[in-house]
Structures are given as C-alpha cells and as structure tokens.
Amino acid sequence: MVEMAIVMPLFLMLLFGIMEAGWAFSQQVEMRNATREGARLAVVDWGTGDQVIDETCSRADLSGAGTTFTVTVNTESVTVNASKTYQSLTGMIDGFAGLTMSSSVEMRTERALDVLTDASKVCP
C-alpha cells in the first residue's frame, strides 16, 4: 500500500502528461492544416474573406471553436493567421492560463484577386 501510494501519483502525472501533450500536438497540427487550407482557398479567389474564414472554421474540428482567423490581402500574397487560447483536456495544466496556440501561412498569389478582402473572425 505504501509503495502504491508513492508510485500512483507519479504514474498518473506521467499518464495525464502524455495525454495532454498528444492533445496539444493534435490541436496544433489541425490548426496549421486549417490555416494552410484557408490560405489556399484565398489565393485561388474562392470567395470573400468572410467566406474563406467560414470554410476554414468548418474544416477545423478539434481546434475550430474559439479560434480567431484573420485574412490579410497584399498585392503579391495572402496571409492567413490563426490563434486561440489552449484548452486543457485533463485539467492538469489549467494553471498555465493564457497559453496561446497560433499558426500563420503566407501564400503568393498567381493572379490579381477579384473578390477577396481582408477579414477577421472568431469561429463559433
């Protein structure tokens, strides 16, 4: 019993730490992919900035809610930025309030964009 009382908290911290790291990595990868897909939609002039952000939000299943996406149009490129406050899976790292995850993708435009405009929006 004494050995279990000593080892169990360490084992649970290790187990929950692994789960939390996997969750954070999964959210970061999904945010990066959604940002890249949004930038690709933007450079092919898929729609207005708000339409691009709406489609990007719909493609981010794990990290979409509460993520702020921003589309910035320049003469030669389009930049899509995403940021959100990390939400813990297990509650172990809730003490690190304000931990921000972010991603930024810039793609060069191949032709003049007709419809795309700058936009910023928080996904529901």
Side-chain angles (χ1 to χ4, degrees):
M1 291 290 266
V2 173
E3 291 172 354
M4 187 168 180
I6 293 171
V7 173
M8 188 59 77
L10 298 173
F11 175 72
L12 289 176
M13 283 180 57
L14 178 67
L15 179 66
F16 288 150
I18 291 170
M19 289 171 54
E20 200 68 54
W23 177 248
F25 183 71
S26 177
Q27 283 190 331
Q28 181 65 33
V29 167
E30 184 181 80
M31 182 183 292
R32 181 69 176 174
N33 287 338
T35 306
R36 185 171 7 97
E37 288 179 22
R40 181 64 189 146
L41 289 172
V43 296
V44 297
D45 214 10
W46 186 79
T48 65
D50 287 331
Q51 290 171 331
V52 168
I53 291 174
D54 289 340
E55 183 63 24
T56 303
C57 287
S58 71
R59 295 181 184 195
D61 295 329
L62 295 175
S63 60
T67 303
T68 302
F69 284 100
T70 305
V71 175
T72 307
V73 182
N74 299 323
T75 56
E76 296 179 358
S77 66
V78 173
T79 304
V80 177
N81 296 313
S83 66
K84 76 174 284 184
T85 302
Y86 177 71
Q87 296 171 344
S88 174
L89 176 67
T90 62
M92 262 188 76
I93 63 170
D94 284 342
F96 297 110
L99 181 65
T100 302
M101 302 173 74
S102 63
S103 177
S104 179
V105 174
E106 181 178 3
M107 286 192 179
R108 201 181 82 217
T109 58
E110 298 174 8
R111 60 181 176 82
L113 302 176
D114 299 327
V115 180
L116 189 65
T117 55
D118 290 355
S120 183
K121 191 184 232 183
V122 177
C123 294

